[in-house]
Amino acid sequence: MTSVWDLPDFDDHEGVHLFRDPKAGLTAIIAVHSTNLGPAAGGVRFWHYADANRAITDALRLSRGMSYKNAMAGLPLGGGKGVVLAAKPGDTISEAQLEAFGAAVESLGGRYVTAEDVGMSEASMKVIATKTRHVSGLPVAAGGAGGDPGPYTASGVYQGVKAAAKRGLGVDSMAGVHVAIQGVGSVGGGLAKLLAKDGAKLTLADVNAERAKALAAELGAETVATDAILSLEADIVSPNALGAILTEQSIAALNTKVIAGGANNQLATREDGARLHARGILYAPDYVINAGGIINVGLEYLGQGDQAEVEARIAKIPERLVEVWDESDRTGAPSSDVADSIARRLIGRG
């Protein structure tokens, strides 16, 4: 296995912690990118990877993204991420694995605060919380303030999509605007419902084709195969599934004016941000537009999670996007690079 220090996505991370508990069946990684602004906050995902390097790379990229996301959202939190490795595709995490992961989080003494991500649920957070207090996103009945961060992420993405439509398309209303949504889970599905209320024209795609068809029937939308959604002719393409989908090849095939969605790490490489910029496609940096969930769980952990404050913070997402786009226009730099530069200044790495 390649050394962690030699992986391209190692970015002077403060710590990369590997955990294994054979009795519980746990193999996990917790990557702490920065604690300059506060404890490293970021969710934990349960996922199957082809090899260990890919799992570590995911943790490195996601934790760095959380540093940037929390900084851009104005939260006094650093960035971290947990990854629990599934033995095979389709596995579900066990209670023993959750308890062992909770113990792993506790061993870091508060430097990392975990929350829900792919393959996890509010119930998962409740089990983890039996082993550590450094967890957020708990159901209200278990002492949390908001539970599932998905609807809050969807709300922020929705507001960001409207800002992107105004900037990139010159429209003040989403009525008739064609949005192609990749992934209709908690975030993409929530986004689709909000846009449908505004009269947007929607095309949906999801790896779970039946889920996409059911939502399309509910909203009066169309569906296409997942391998066709990115190249579909649409006003806005909104990625809301897994990351690294904007590659040299997929960018060349784009037939849209705007990319704005909630998926993490949409750009496969930094150069792909420049490719979007060169094509004149307006890009909403993912960790800026999708900050609604971490705003909710972060404020919950900090004891500031009343609904009014959460909504007020999420409502500032379009302002931050406009700040990024304005600087991109002034400097000629891709919006992805501009967002990274602002975030790095905020975490003391400018």
Side-chain angles (χ1 to χ4, degrees):
M1 186 179 75
T2 305
S3 166
V4 171
W5 291 282
D6 296 327
L7 291 173
D9 289 289
F10 182 78
D11 181 44
D12 292 333
H13 284 66
E14 293 180 12
V16 182
H17 308 272
L18 309 181
F19 297 92
R20 179 162 284 163
D21 183 333
K23 186 176 180 181
L26 178 80
T27 300
I29 304 152
I30 296 175
V32 174
H33 180 257
S34 170
T35 58
N36 186 57
L37 297 178
V44 54
R45 61 178 44 187
F46 181 69
W47 196 252
H48 173 72
Y49 295 89
D51 57 62
N53 273 352
R54 294 189 188 186
I56 294 172
T57 293
D58 208 21
L60 292 174
R61 296 193 74 192
L62 290 165
S63 59
R64 179 181 58 209
M66 290 308 305
S67 279
Y68 293 0
K69 182 185 300 190
N70 292 334
M72 294 291 269
L75 295 171
L77 296 168
K81 203 74 178 184
V83 172
V84 177
L85 282 68
K88 62 182 184 299
D91 274 359
T92 55
I93 195 164
S94 70
E95 186 167 329
Q97 287 172 311
L98 290 167
E99 290 176 346
F101 183 76
V105 172
E106 183 65 20
S107 75
L108 298 182
R111 294 187 70 244
Y112 168 66
V113 180
T114 197
E116 181 182 341
D117 199 353
V118 176
M120 296 287 185
S121 65
E122 292 180 44
S124 303
M125 297 304 105
K126 190 174 178 180
V127 176
I128 289 171
T130 64
K131 299 298 181 181
T132 182
R133 62 186 179 86
H134 305 298
V135 56
S136 192
L138 293 168
V140 175
D148 179 12
Y152 297 93
T153 304
S155 174
V157 173
Y158 166 68
Q159 294 178 54
V161 165
K162 290 197 296 180
K166 183 172 184 177
R167 184 76 170 216
L169 306 174
V171 299
D172 292 315
S173 167
M174 294 304 296
V177 175
H178 186 190
V179 184
I181 300 178
Q182 181 192 51
V184 293
S186 179
V187 176
L191 171 65
K193 291 176 182 178
L194 291 167
L195 290 172
K197 289 180 181 178
D198 287 346
K201 177 185 176 181
L202 302 176
T203 303
L204 313 178
D206 195 280
V207 290
N208 183 338
E210 292 307 311
R211 177 166 65 181
K213 288 177 182 176
L215 185 60
E218 176 187 340
L219 302 180
E222 300 293 329
T223 62
V224 295
T226 53
D227 60 359
I229 192 74
L230 290 180
S231 58
L232 192 73
E233 183 177 359
D235 297 311
I236 299 172
V237 169
S238 183
N240 293 280
L242 294 176
I245 45 82
L246 295 173
T247 64
E248 183 175 6
Q249 293 73 29
S250 68
I251 290 169
L254 287 172
N255 197 359
T256 187
K257 294 180 179 178
V258 176
I259 298 286
N264 286 311
N265 295 327
Q266 293 169 29
L267 302 175
T269 68
R270 179 181 175 182
E271 290 73 25
D272 293 312
R275 291 186 177 102
L276 287 173
H277 187 70
R279 286 206 56 197
I281 296 172
L282 183 72
Y283 175 60
D286 46 32
Y287 57 80
V288 181
I289 194 173
N290 69 11
I294 193 62
I295 288 171
N296 178 55
V297 298
L299 291 178
E300 175 191 321
Y301 182 77
L302 295 166
Q304 305 167 16
D306 65 276
Q307 191 71 17
E309 179 63 19
V310 169
E311 291 178 359
R313 294 283 190 112
I314 292 174
K316 293 181 179 179
I317 287 174
E319 297 175 22
R320 185 65 92 176
L321 286 169
V322 169
E323 177 187 349
V324 169
W325 293 327
D326 283 349
E327 187 169 328
S328 176
D329 286 348
R330 285 194 304 270
T331 63
S335 61
S336 51
D337 287 354
V338 168
D340 286 356
S341 295
I342 295 173
R344 291 185 74 83
R345 291 199 298 267
L346 290 171
I347 66 173
R349 296 191 184 186

